[in-house]
Amino acid sequence: MVTMRDVAERANVSIATVSFVINGTKRVAPETRTRIEAAIRELGYRRNVVARALASSRTRILALLHPYLEARPIATANQFLMSAAHGARERGYDLVLWPVNDDEQMSHLLAGGLVDGALLMEVQLRDPRVDRLIASGLPFALIGRTEDEDLPFVDMDFTTTIEQAVGHLRSFGHRRIALVTLRMRASTGNEPGWIMRVKSAYRGAMAAAGEPPTVIAVEGTSAGGRKAARRLSEDFPEVTGVVVVNEGASAGLVKESRALGRSVPDDLSIISAATTAELGEMIEPSLTVMTAPATELGRLGVNALIDQLEGVPDAPPNILIPCTLVPGQSVGPAPA
Amino acid sequence: MVTMRDVAERANVSIATVSFVINGTKRVAPETRTRIEAAIRELGYRRNVVARALASSRTRILALLHPYLEARPIATANQFLMSAAHGARERGYDLVLWPVNDDEQMSHLLAGGLVDGALLMEVQLRDPRVDRLIASGLPFALIGRTEDEDLPFVDMDFTTTIEQAVGHLRSFGHRRIALVTLRMRASTGNEPGWIMRVKSAYRGAMAAAGEPPTVIAVEGTSAGGRKAARRLSEDFPEVTGVVVVNEGASAGLVKESRALGRSVPDDLSIISAATTAELGEMIEPSLTVMTAPATELGRLGVNALIDQLEGVPDAPPNILIPCTLVPGQSVGPAPA
């Protein structure tokens, strides 16, 4: 069997340099790299990842579990995926994208021995994937939270985000402020943890302000947003400020409100939280948004998992990051 | 070493059933599955994927190469990724997401022996990744095309798509029709093959119509779209129809055209091609779009690669799929 030493000798470099090239962990001069790759090809040195995995019972492969096949039209999902994959690569790990839609597909993950650990997205309050991971003993980290906050996670700080959104609207004189959030299709059952946390943070902020809460949950689509606009107009005409935490519905909400003769922001002020500035800019008028820390959380999530796998001492505990306010043109003074 | 047979005996099922559960290739009754998973856990049967890979020198892992870390705010990227991952899983393969931004990171892929094959996205006309894959002998398939159309690929049929878009505008009486496409930032150098193909298809369609072409290339952002609107208004006021093949710029183009006092569609008709209907609906007025076959192409691309790996006879040749016209409110009769 051809070894890394054989490759090093053939290419006239150190074994460490060969390892850097193979693992992609450190920059190597292009000439040297080309020489090493030629040696690898000539000697037929392959499958070292596999051999190493068998020797160490570590594959250095991680799974990213993302449960929905039909991508919602959201701008943040890609940021999570790509930054997690990039963060894994920087630490010498590979990330398998795992579109687990049902409990069934978990078996291959847990029984196959392919991955050293799993990173979960779209975490539900009571998440059956988490139960199965705990039972199997496979290390994992969450981007999001279940009910049990003792599990390793990174997440958006919804309390701070919603308090800032409500505070921003109140600083413009708005008192009756509604929340438009996501309603999952009935078939998916259990709802993502963030929906509950957003509602709870919103209710807390309204209680602190001494105002009654108004929660409208719609699908994460333009059609859902239009529905929310009609409900606001018909059932809650006293509402002058809206916090949207439903990326896909933002545009429909604004369009239909205007179609119903309500000016944004003269009649209705709108903040869209947990989205991107680019998405806010697409809408007329450009939305005031609170941008999601998606790139940071993707990277921090994968780091939390790898720290756990490598037993890194003093690894940071659970991390919460709030969204960042980016003013647009959709918030103005409350109508008299 | 614990074998699959041991697991089958302990769980009182056939070896085939154990294999279905481990590989996730066939549905197994939940009770049976639970029993098999318990046996796997109790016997400590793990790493079989690794052992099998070493025995067969096949890992059943594929890499999806997607070169940009910073996700552009496009709705189709997720559809490609998720459908490719799902398609791989259905045939018993795993898909590693490989955010290769530079040539450097290819070494780990080619030398490490982790993957059986690679699926490339955002393919450039002269793509250095393809050269390295050919030199290494690793099987691959492309979602997109290089100059060399003899390589295995699936792609959008840009010729048909652009002809239909131009034909749709011409059927409303438009004669001067511009193309707004993507300009890559200078640093990325080589441009994606689709940009050249879109330009070429557009020039062909305009030549066939006997009209002069107008090509405007801008960044794939709202700012890019606004810039295109200003150029159209200032330099090409005779243009009354626009085909946009630049998903991220569509909204900015419409917004800025309206801000410049040009009504859509009364003064300017706009079709956005290679995007999603949801994205078209977010814009005011709702855009007439040609939806990208992203879900189909993600799946067909991964199938083309697996067919190659498995030597499937009569595997379909290179596949081209056009976009599908979905009328909105952004196309109307040409102004008199």
Side-chain angles (χ1 to χ4, degrees):
Chain A
M1 192 180 200
V2 181
T3 67
M4 208 181 280
R5 177 182 300 273
D6 300 326
V7 174
E9 280 174 8
R10 174 74 147 243
N12 202 19
V13 296
S14 70
I15 295 179
T17 308
V18 175
S19 157
F20 294 151
V21 167
I22 287 174
N23 295 316
T25 42
K26 203 169 160 183
R27 198 173 169 75
V28 171
E31 301 77 21
T32 313
R33 205 183 63 210
T34 306
R35 214 161 64 235
I36 292 169
E37 285 174 14
I40 285 168
R41 215 165 34 244
E42 288 156 24
L43 295 172
Y45 176 71
R46 294 287 300 266
R47 304 291 160 219
N48 64 294
V49 166
V50 177
R52 186 182 57 189
L54 200 64
S56 70
S57 80
R58 295 280 301 274
T59 59
R60 297 186 79 85
I61 301 173
L62 310 176
L64 180 71
L65 276 71
H66 192 299
Y68 304 113
L69 175 66
E70 282 179 82
R72 279 176 281 158
I74 56 179
T76 50
N78 250 21
Q79 294 182 331
F80 276 114
L81 294 181
M82 295 302 277
S83 75
H86 197 74
R89 201 74 286 289
E90 283 188 343
R91 293 186 67 174
Y93 286 76
D94 295 306
L95 193 72
V96 171
L97 186 57
W98 201 275
V100 176
N101 285 309
D102 57 33
D103 196 53
E104 186 85 11
Q105 285 284 329
M106 290 286 290
S107 300
H108 173 55
L109 180 71
L110 299 179
L114 173 66
V115 302
D116 289 344
L119 189 61
L120 276 68
M121 285 183 61
E122 300 283 340
V123 176
Q124 299 168 347
L125 277 181
R126 294 191 200 88
D127 199 312
R129 300 173 301 169
V130 170
D131 296 337
R132 295 193 64 188
L133 282 165
I134 292 174
S136 77
L138 189 74
F140 64 92
L142 311 174
I143 299 182
R145 279 169 282 173
T146 63
E147 285 177 327
D148 177 2
E149 302 207 2
D150 287 334
L151 299 172
F153 72 82
V154 303
D155 201 359
M156 283 194 234
D157 180 345
F158 295 108
T159 306
T160 304
T161 301
I162 298 295
E163 277 172 4
Q164 289 183 348
V166 168
H168 187 66
L169 288 168
R170 286 181 57 81
S171 75
F172 279 81
H174 296 275
R175 301 184 53 155
R176 292 300 300 271
I177 296 168
L179 171 70
V180 172
T181 185
L182 182 67
R183 184 164 66 83
M184 300 302 289
R185 267 171 291 179
S187 64
T188 60
N190 202 346
E191 78 179 1
W194 68 262
I195 297 181
M196 183 278 286
R197 290 193 169 83
V198 162
K199 285 182 194 161
S200 160
Y202 163 76
R203 290 212 170 85
M206 295 308 283
E211 301 285 347
T214 307
V215 176
I216 298 175
V218 292
E219 272 195 359
T221 59
S222 282
R226 291 196 298 272
K227 193 170 169 186
R230 289 191 294 271
R231 283 215 56 200
L232 281 168
S233 173
E234 289 162 18
D235 301 340
F236 307 103
E238 71 281 11
V239 166
T240 63
V242 182
V243 177
V244 186
V245 192
N246 185 334
E247 195 169 27
S250 309
L253 170 61
V254 174
K255 277 177 73 169
E256 184 73 7
S257 294
R258 287 158 59 107
L260 291 168
R262 308 185 76 187
S263 163
V264 177
D266 292 345
D267 300 321
L268 197 63
S269 285
I270 297 175
I271 295 184
S272 182
T275 184
T276 66
E278 254 303 316
L279 196 125
E281 251 196 280
M282 289 178 56
I283 296 168
E284 176 68 48
S286 292
L287 291 188
T288 292
V289 299
M290 296 189 72
T291 60
T295 304
E296 296 89 322
L297 287 177
R299 181 173 294 262
L300 289 167
V302 84
N303 276 333
L305 177 59
I306 295 174
D307 285 348
Q308 197 186 137
L309 293 172
E310 299 187 348
V312 171
D314 303 321
N318 297 336
I319 293 170
L320 289 176
I321 306 182
C323 297
T324 303
L325 184 72
V326 180
Q329 288 146 21
S330 64
V331 173
Chain B
M1 195 180 200
V2 181
T3 68
M4 209 181 278
R5 178 182 298 276
D6 299 327
V7 173
E9 281 174 7
R10 173 75 147 244
N12 203 18
V13 297
S14 70
I15 295 179
T17 307
V18 175
S19 158
F20 294 152
V21 167
I22 287 174
N23 294 317
T25 41
K26 202 168 162 185
R27 200 174 166 77
V28 171
E31 301 76 26
T32 313
R33 206 183 61 210
T34 306
R35 211 160 68 235
I36 292 169
E37 286 174 14
I40 285 168
R41 216 165 33 244
E42 287 156 24
L43 295 171
Y45 177 71
R46 295 287 298 267
R47 304 292 159 218
N48 64 294
V49 167
V50 177
R52 184 183 58 189
L54 199 66
S56 71
S57 80
R58 294 283 303 274
T59 59
R60 298 184 80 83
I61 302 174
L62 310 175
L64 180 72
L65 276 69
H66 192 300
Y68 304 113
L69 174 65
E70 284 178 82
R72 279 177 280 156
I74 56 178
T76 50
N78 250 22
Q79 294 181 333
F80 277 113
L81 295 181
M82 296 303 276
S83 75
H86 197 74
R89 199 77 283 293
E90 283 187 344
R91 292 185 68 175
Y93 286 76
D94 296 305
L95 193 72
V96 171
L97 185 58
W98 200 275
V100 176
N101 286 308
D102 57 34
D103 195 52
E104 186 83 11
Q105 286 283 330
M106 290 286 289
S107 299
H108 173 54
L109 180 72
L110 299 178
L114 173 67
V115 302
D116 288 345
L119 189 62
L120 275 68
M121 286 184 61
E122 300 283 341
V123 176
Q124 300 168 347
L125 277 180
R126 295 189 198 90
D127 199 312
R129 300 173 300 171
V130 170
D131 297 336
R132 295 193 65 186
L133 282 164
I134 291 173
S136 77
L138 190 74
F140 64 91
L142 311 174
I143 299 182
R145 278 170 283 172
T146 63
E147 284 176 327
D148 177 1
E149 302 207 1
D150 288 334
L151 299 172
F153 72 82
V154 302
D155 201 359
M156 283 193 233
D157 179 345
F158 295 108
T159 306
T160 305
T161 301
I162 298 293
E163 276 171 6
Q164 288 183 347
V166 167
H168 187 66
L169 287 168
R170 286 179 58 80
S171 74
F172 280 83
H174 296 275
R175 302 185 51 157
R176 294 300 301 269
I177 296 168
L179 170 70
V180 172
T181 183
L182 182 67
R183 185 164 65 85
M184 300 302 290
R185 269 172 290 178
S187 65
T188 60
N190 202 345
E191 77 179 4
W194 68 262
I195 296 180
M196 184 277 286
R197 291 194 168 81
V198 163
K199 285 181 194 163
S200 161
Y202 163 75
R203 289 212 170 85
M206 295 308 283
E211 300 285 346
T214 306
V215 176
I216 298 175
V218 292
E219 272 195 358
T221 59
S222 282
R226 291 196 298 273
K227 194 169 166 185
R230 288 191 296 270
R231 283 214 57 199
L232 282 168
S233 173
E234 289 163 18
D235 301 341
F236 306 103
E238 71 281 11
V239 166
T240 62
V242 182
V243 178
V244 186
V245 192
N246 183 334
E247 194 170 27
S250 310
L253 170 61
V254 176
K255 277 177 73 168
E256 184 73 6
S257 295
R258 287 158 59 107
L260 291 167
R262 308 186 76 185
S263 165
V264 177
D266 292 344
D267 300 319
L268 198 62
S269 285
I270 297 175
I271 294 185
S272 183
T275 183
T276 65
E278 255 301 317
L279 197 123
E281 250 197 279
M282 289 178 57
I283 295 169
E284 177 67 49
S286 292
L287 291 188
T288 291
V289 298
M290 297 190 70
T291 61
T295 304
E296 296 88 325
L297 287 177
R299 180 173 296 261
L300 289 166
V302 84
N303 277 334
L305 177 58
I306 295 173
D307 285 348
Q308 196 185 138
L309 293 173
E310 299 187 347
V312 171
D314 303 320
N318 296 336
I319 294 170
L320 290 176
I321 305 181
C323 297
T324 304
L325 183 72
V326 180
Q329 290 147 21
S330 63
V331 173

